[in-house]
Amino acid sequence: MRKRQGRLFRKYVLVFVALVGGTLVASTLLQLYFSYQESQSALLRVESVEASRAALRISQFVDSIRTDLRGVIPPPGLSGVSLDQREADYLGLQRRAPEIEEVRFIDAQGREQLRVSRLLLNEKGKGTDRTDQPEYVKTRGGDTYYEGSVEFRGGSEPHFKVAVPDGKNAGVTVADVNLRFVLEPVSIKIGTEGHAYAYVVDSAGYLIAHPDISAVLRHPDLSSLPQVQAAIHGNAPVDERAMLARDSAERSVLTAYEVIPSTGWAVFVEQPSDEAFASLNASLLRAAGLLALALLVAVAASLLLARRMIVPIDVVRAGAARIGAGAFDQRIEIRTGDELEDLAEEFNRMSSRLQESYATLEGPVVERTRALAESLDKQTATAELLKVISRSTFDLDPVLDKVVEEAVRLCAADQGWITRVEDETSYIVAYHGANEHMRELAVTRSGKVAA
């Protein structure tokens, strides 16, 4: 029979480890998954709030430029404002708003009549045609014009234009604004390391504001990034403006954005994933350590439980084998207090019944065996006697000797003889045994004995 020793033990251990360990692993993985999702959602919400705040501050910055420009526009109905007066007003504006580097006035016919600049020479009354410029064309309806794309002058600093009309189909005041001053509104700090940052792209996807001014001076085109495309081309709901993406350096980042409607710019707040999930990764390491410890405990407990189950089963198996071999007085001693103890007691009761049955059957079997043996002996003696008779047709002595011999053997006697009585005298005619005197008398066939 093929040996299966140890298989049940291994099965129990594997089952226990699979159940306990599998439950631990599944619960830990689910907990980590939900923790990751919750942490990511929380971080993205924080970034969305920061992006909204930065966008609001930039929008306020842009609106302040428009408000300042409206402050130097003559009140409606006031005509005949001289260029000298406008020049004085523009100089005062530049003193109040250092971010405005240049202010120009274009009359209702699209002729540039005045330019006040921090970097170039001031011009007055030159009359340069500006009818094809967007700051003139876009303000004919009386609306304020914000330049969506940003110009890098001399490859150094980004500038954009804000144009405020004097009225419908009237003259226009145009301000050239240095966006270096936008850096302060987008300065944020998220996380323990402060590696989160905010940046701004214009309506074409070019970087116009960043904490690293050298990055702005490179004037990179970020329109290929999925999050930038979503910002400048899409109209995604607020809850879809935060995502896990990659930055221009192909690093995984958590990013959220907010669009500034007046200019079409988009403010992004990003944080590297490795920093964002630093605390979660530490939790993952702790959870992995606790999981490994729990698995070791589960394996140890599985070995202990399996052994506590297998040892009684081995005792029952060994006892059943001895009972099967005929040791009906064998008793299985198990004190587990469960079904295994009940099974051992059943084996003990079965062994007792078999022992009783064997004792009851043993007497008749012995008697029957003895009777069969006697019958066989008689048949054997008869067969031997018949053989002798068949060989001794005219000689009676061998027949008588054989009869005495078989009679002594059948009766389990020490000796036996056949006598013939004549006139109250007995003669031994056949003898079998160890008595030599009786044997001599039988040989002569005339030995006399007392009657």
Side-chain angles (χ1 to χ4, degrees):
M1 183 177 64
R2 184 173 58 182
K3 292 184 178 181
R4 299 181 176 88
Q5 187 174 3
R7 290 190 178 182
L8 187 60
F9 177 77
R10 291 192 293 271
K11 287 181 181 179
Y12 275 124
V13 171
L14 291 176
V15 169
F16 288 146
V17 171
L19 288 176
V20 179
T23 302
L24 287 173
V25 171
S27 62
T28 302
L29 291 179
L30 285 175
Q31 183 178 0
L32 293 177
Y33 172 77
F34 288 117
S35 297
Y36 173 83
Q37 294 296 328
E38 291 171 0
S39 298
Q40 177 174 309
S41 299
L43 290 170
L44 290 175
R45 284 195 297 270
V46 171
E47 290 186 356
S48 297
V49 170
E50 292 296 333
S52 298
R53 289 177 179 176
L56 178 61
R57 289 195 293 268
I58 293 176
S59 180
Q60 292 173 344
F61 171 80
V62 174
D63 288 342
S64 68
I65 300 298
R66 181 189 61 182
T67 302
D68 291 340
L69 291 178
R70 288 189 181 278
V72 298
I73 295 176
L78 182 62
S79 59
V81 178
S82 65
L83 294 180
D84 292 335
Q85 181 61 46
R86 286 184 181 273
E87 182 179 13
D89 292 339
Y90 289 173
L91 289 173
L93 174 62
Q94 287 183 328
R95 285 193 295 270
R96 296 191 303 271
E99 64 272 13
I100 298 178
E101 290 193 349
E102 184 178 280
V103 185
R104 294 179 291 129
F105 172 67
I106 302 174
D107 62 16
Q109 287 72 39
R111 303 291 178 177
E112 183 179 300
Q113 299 297 337
L114 178 64
R115 183 182 72 183
V116 177
S117 175
R118 297 180 187 273
L119 303 177
L120 302 176
L121 294 176
N122 296 341
E123 292 183 353
K124 185 187 304 182
K126 189 174 183 179
T128 305
D129 186 8
R130 302 295 186 185
T131 55
D132 58 344
Q133 297 297 312
E135 56 265 30
Y136 174 78
V137 176
K138 299 292 185 180
T139 56
R140 294 302 82 208
D143 298 325
T144 301
Y145 167 72
Y146 298 96
E147 186 178 32
S149 60
V150 175
E151 176 186 0
F152 281 77
R153 290 189 175 179
S156 58
E157 295 180 341
H159 293 73
F160 83 106
K161 297 182 178 67
V162 179
V164 177
D166 291 356
K168 188 175 182 180
N169 295 321
V172 181
T173 300
V174 182
D176 191 282
V177 184
N178 190 332
L179 278 178
R180 176 171 54 86
F181 295 87
V182 177
L183 294 179
E184 182 62 26
V186 299
S187 177
I188 64 169
K189 181 178 180 180
I190 301 177
T192 57
E193 301 297 330
H195 291 163
Y197 55 92
Y199 63 92
V200 185
V201 298
D202 64 11
S203 59
Y206 287 92
L207 184 67
I208 60 175
H210 193 279
D212 183 6
I213 189 61
S214 63
V216 178
L217 295 179
R218 289 194 296 269
H219 197 209
D221 181 5
L222 303 181
S223 60
S224 60
L225 297 178
Q227 61 267 35
V228 176
Q229 291 181 358
I232 64 179
H233 297 302
N235 190 20
V238 175
D239 57 349
E240 296 181 7
R241 296 178 184 179
M243 66 189 75
L244 181 66
R246 292 192 174 275
D247 61 8
S248 58
E250 292 298 321
R251 296 177 302 177
S252 177
V253 293
L254 291 175
T255 181
Y257 69 88
E258 185 67 33
V259 178
I260 302 173
S262 58
T263 60
W265 302 343
V267 180
F268 289 85
V269 176
E270 291 185 352
Q271 185 177 14
S273 298
D274 52 356
E275 182 200 342
F277 297 118
S279 59
L280 182 60
N281 290 335
S283 299
L284 289 176
L285 292 177
R286 289 193 297 269
L290 292 175
L291 178 60
L293 180 60
L295 287 177
L296 289 177
V297 173
V299 171
S302 300
L303 291 172
L304 179 61
L305 291 175
R307 186 171 297 279
R308 288 176 64 89
M309 294 183 64
I310 296 302
V311 170
I313 292 175
D314 286 339
V315 173
V316 172
R317 180 185 58 80
R322 287 192 292 270
I323 293 173
F328 300 130
D329 59 342
Q330 173 69 35
R331 295 295 180 267
I332 303 174
E333 298 295 335
I334 292 180
R335 294 293 181 268
T336 58
D338 53 19
E339 288 82 357
L340 290 175
E341 184 174 347
D342 294 339
L343 179 61
E345 291 176 355
E346 287 295 330
F347 271 106
N348 292 335
R349 285 192 288 269
M350 180 187 68
S351 178
S352 298
R353 289 193 294 269
L354 288 175
Q355 188 175 15
E356 293 172 0
S357 299
Y358 184 78
T360 303
L361 293 174
E362 187 175 7
V365 170
V366 172
E367 185 64 27
R368 182 62 177 168
T369 301
R370 185 171 62 252
L372 290 174
E374 290 178 356
S375 175
L376 180 61
D377 287 344
K378 290 179 181 179
Q379 291 179 3
T380 302
T382 301
E384 293 295 331
L385 185 58
L386 291 175
K387 288 181 181 179
V388 174
I389 293 174
S390 65
R391 291 195 300 267
S392 305
T393 307
F394 302 103
D395 189 359
L396 187 57
D397 290 340
V399 176
L400 295 177
D401 291 339
K402 190 63 177 177
V403 170
V404 174
E405 179 183 351
E406 294 298 329
V408 169
R409 185 177 63 81
L410 291 175
C411 296
D414 293 333
Q415 58 184 349
W417 63 86
I418 299 176
T419 59
R420 178 171 58 83
V421 181
E422 292 181 1
D423 299 331
E424 298 182 356
T425 302
S426 298
Y427 298 92
I428 297 175
V429 296
Y431 172 81
H432 183 79
N435 193 317
E436 294 297 332
H437 176 67
M438 294 292 289
R439 187 183 301 279
E440 291 177 357
L441 291 177
V443 170
T444 59
R445 305 299 181 189
S446 60
K448 296 180 179 181
V449 298

